[in-house]
Amino acid sequence: MMGRTIFIDPGRCIGCQACVSACRECDSHRGKSMIHLDYTDEGHSVASLPTVCMHCEDPVAPCAEVCPADAILVTADGVVQQADTTRCIGCANCVNACPFGVPKIDLQAKLQMKCNLCYDRTAYGLAPMCATVCPTGALFYGTAEELQAERPGVQIADTFTFGETEVRTGVAMVVPADKVRWPVPGGLPVVEINGKDVRR
Amino acid sequence: MTADPRPVVPLDPSLAPPGTRAFRDAGGIPADRWRADQDGETLVPTHCCFCGVQCGMYLRVDRGGKVFGVEPRNHDINRMRLCPKGINAYQQVNHPDRLTAPLMRRSRDEVFREVSWDEALDFTVSEIKRIQQAHGNDAFGLLGGASLFSEKTYLVGKFARVALKSRHVDYNGRLCMVSAAGANKLAFGIDRAGNPFSDCLLTDCLLIAGSNVGECFPVMTQYVWGARDRGASLIVVDPRETAIARTADIHVALKPGTDSAFFTSVLNVVVEEGLTDEAYLAAHATGWEEVRAKAAEYPPSRAAEICGVPAEQIVQVARTFARAPKAMAWHARGIEHHSQGVENCLAVINLCAATGHIGKPGAGYGTITGQGNGQGGREHGQKADLLPGGRSIMNEEHRRQICEIWGIEESELPPAGTSMMEMVWQMQRREIRGLIGICNNPFVSLPNYRVVKEGYDATEFHAQFDFFLSETAANAHVVLPVTTWAEDEGVMANAEARVVKHNKAQDAPPGVRTDTWVMCELARRLGAGDKFAFADSRAVFDELRIASAGTVNDYYGITYERLEETGGIAWPCPSTDHPGTPRLFEDGRTYHPDGKIHLQVVEWHPPMDPYDDEHPMSLTTGRTVAHFLSGNQTRRLGALVEQTPRPWAEVHPSHGFRNGEPVRVITRRGSEVFPALVTEAIRPDTVFIPYHWPVPTAANALTIDALDPRSKIPEYKVCACRIEHAEKIDEVPAPPVAPGQVAYPEAQVSRTDPLPPTAPQGRGTSERS
Ligand code: SF4
Ligand code: SF4
């Protein structure tokens, strides 16, 4: 897994689609969103789940591997870029290869588009648009340590099996912590909010 | 009107979230390299124009001085987070539907024509004078809005009483949180939430009643989840399993309209099990004996029957809330939009007080305001019974104080008027014959549409200020095009009573004026110009500060400069070196003269629309995350339209509907057909419809115009209904179009792929292609 990356925590998602709207505002593909929002159990629950590109590490990006035009670049820091506009032929091989169903094809432009982890922002130290705005933290950008400091006890999964094949990804899913049940012995561990010590 | 200095911040990577620190420390990159294609862009710090969270944001302004995008802002309230409304809000600033010239017609049979400001204002003033001369000053009314900056709401109240000399002024915050306001005033002598949002992170138990936080206040969810991360229990009271309820420890899916019985029963268990904080009550409360005696009449067995929930759940809620070292209760329209809205809120306050959960970090109560300035909108005299600083218009002393500031005789100050819905009834009866509406859209937002339409149609003259032609403006004689929030500066108070400053990001389009200018100009033409010599918002704010000094709602110490420095100050703030009051009652004193909480006895009564064999079910209404209130703004923004293109009726699978099938919802006021959203997330005896659309898909054509006797809030959240299979689904109407304008312009709507034909009607669509 990369150092700073996106962690997806479906237990927190409220299905608001702020991520979808924010993704449209990204300067590298303005007007189009590269995020899917799925309602996993419609009719029974309001549960929802955002999907961004998982930036596969091992095997290295199936989409890039199958691309006949070598249009999908994987950067040294593990980000799988969207197709190079000067190379992509719009064949949709990548769409079929991706185990997570991420790349999209703009049929008119004959061009693949997908989440490139807001490379225009992350390269400068900013968080991706979706993870920046996500009101709930269902999309979190940072390191695993930062995540666990904020959400004590959560586990992370970055390996997924598809039949015989295992895929290890740069983006990870958050597995909920065992719920701490009331009463909380000795109160709560919060000591600081907005930089101020709040213990009384 | 003088041009405001535009506060600008050069685009700079150091404005980025904590992650950017490394980038800066490493030497950084010149600001203009950050987005080479947007060289020269500036970021104007401001806040979202929509809900009561008031998220901080930057508006991106291009070299030509036009707003063209949004950038998240690391403001205390939202820490970069935004909901889809906030992200798309900037698109309305330069939307092709903007009104850019006054529209006028002499009768409703004519079509609008574009006229000069002089002609529109002269006609308006001559109609005001004609109606008032023939039928008295009170025959002309004014309805304001809670999305206006506080300066403008102050002006609305002053304009009605000083320029129009009419008692009839009220505002659409009347439809929002006045029940909570009334209850807070009765119990605490102050009308605002007791704790800041961030106190959620310090609590051991969070009780959320009648608030779909995920859809209505999405950015507040971070505090709810933050509380969960730290082990706090979550109790959600809501007839629907909302996104928040889904992960709650206890979700009480009670029958709409039974909240006060539920909370009084919880109090019953607290008393029975000896979980009350008697020391706290003895020192800080009055009325506890009476409240305790009343609670004894609501054992869980009785409340379980009224509320349709298991009695054990009531016991469980009582134990979890009362035993928590620190507990907080937040509530919103779900318990406030009732003919017993004030009682419902009082029942929650009784519970907080009885358990001693008041006035401590992580312990207290709060009401979540719906509109951006729902809190500030009523503090300075826009409400029928209030004068600036929350003073009562019925109080001799308060009247005298304000008359002195306004420079008028006390005999000239009209008495209290009536509430928004009552004004519409008066319009129906022709007691009010002329009306100015500012920043509201009652054709969608008031209950019982037929009555509203009749009332408005009966007026002899109707003028409306707006920046889009709303359904209500389409009924007017004169429509005056005014600025959006990005074209003026001013303050709003969010749900925590934190006053924040909005800054001007671009100049208004030619032909568009600020509401301040229009009100001052009308006042001048009505002969009260000397009382309305305000050049801009800042001048109004300075008078507002003085007018509020010494009251409970003290803004005196808040200045524009301080707001820009601090990112927001919670009132009361009596002096310019006072830090503001984010948390109330920390010294154990309330704002009543005796410093005590005045507990009030609460008695449950059934909703006003009785159930019978023909109408056995409850209809309840609410919001979706993509749209804001009457939808006049958000129903024009492509991404939001796509996310939730139309309303639906949420029904339980037990009624035999398939998803998307037409379902007719029938109440005593009418019937409409919606696609069904079949889900187990709602009670079998309840139907839910989101209310942002006009007829023929208006939830408010079906709801009842019954009011809470004290707060005069309509009972939106429950009325009797039945559902039937129907032939076909009612069409969603497009917003009205003004001459020379286009609604739903191609450019704004088709920013993404068209919807798949099988798109679910309800919670938006997946973007998978
Ligand atoms: S912004 Fe966050 S909470 Fe909203 S839909 Fe996306 S992932 Fe879920
Ligand atoms: S609508 Fe409310 S939650 Fe959404 S961005 Fe605006 S202020 Fe924040």
Side-chain angles (χ1 to χ4, degrees), chain B residues 614-698:
Chain B
E614 285 212 350
H615 305 95
M617 296 175 66
S618 311
L619 168 64
T620 192
T621 66
R623 278 162 67 172
T624 90
V625 68
H627 289 294
F628 188 63
L629 305 189
S630 82
N632 183 36
Q633 300 174 64
T634 52
R635 277 185 285 116
R636 296 171 201 268
L637 305 183
L640 300 178
V641 174
E642 278 173 11
Q643 188 172 333
T644 312
R646 56 166 308 133
W648 66 88
E650 209 162 302
V651 294
H652 192 267
S654 59
H655 299 287
F657 286 91
R658 272 172 310 159
N659 224 11
E661 251 185 328
V663 44
R664 179 179 298 281
V665 182
I666 304 156
T667 70
R668 295 190 175 89
R669 270 104 10 231
S671 83
E672 284 179 348
V673 182
F674 302 88
L677 182 83
V678 180
T679 174
E680 288 164 13
I682 190 164
R683 287 177 61 95
D685 59 6
T686 303
V687 186
F688 169 85
I689 305 173
Y691 63 63
H692 312 282
W693 287 265
V695 283
T697 57

Side-chain angles (χ1 to χ4, degrees), chain A residues 144-163:
Chain A
E145 293 71 42
E146 285 166 357
L147 176 83
Q148 274 153 342
E150 191 178 289
R151 302 174 199 173
V154 293
Q155 300 297 311
I156 290 157
D158 64 355
T159 307
F160 304 85
T161 38
F162 297 91

Side-chain angles (χ1 to χ4, degrees), chain A residues 8-10 12-22 35-39 48-52 130-131 133-140, chain B residues 82-84 87 214 218 221 225 625 643:
Chain A
I8 304 173
D9 189 344
R12 303 167 93 88
C13 181
I14 53 172
C16 71
Q17 300 202 32
C19 49
V20 175
S21 268
I35 291 184
H36 315 147
L37 194 78
D38 287 319
Y39 298 93
S48 51
L49 167 72
T51 305
V52 297
C130 57
V133 302
C134 173
T136 65
L139 293 168
F140 177 95
Chain B
L82 292 170
C83 84
I87 294 164
T221 317
W225 289 165
V625 68
Q643 188 172 333

Side-chain angles (χ1 to χ4, degrees), chain A residues 12-14 16 21 24-25 27 30-31 37-39 43-44 104 121 124 126 133 181-182 188 190, chain B residues 16 23 34-35 68 71 84 88 90 201 203 225 229-230 249 323 643 680 751-752 763 767-768:
Chain A
R12 303 167 93 88
C13 181
I14 53 172
C16 71
S21 268
R24 284 196 186 102
E25 296 300 320
D27 280 328
R30 206 150 189 222
L37 194 78
D38 287 319
Y39 298 93
H44 304 283
K104 295 178 173 190
R121 302 173 73 84
Y124 292 120
L126 288 165
V133 302
R181 293 274 156 191
W182 183 89
L188 294 167
V190 187
Chain B
F23 159 54
W34 147 235
R35 247 184 231 109
F68 76 99
E71 181 66 28
N88 290 290
Y90 77 89
L201 302 176
T203 194
W225 289 165
D229 289 338
R230 290 165 171 85
D249 294 86
R323 283 187 193 160
Q643 188 172 333
E680 288 164 13
R751 292 178 41 152
T752 53
R763 296 212 172 74
E767 292 251 327
R768 198 179 291 277

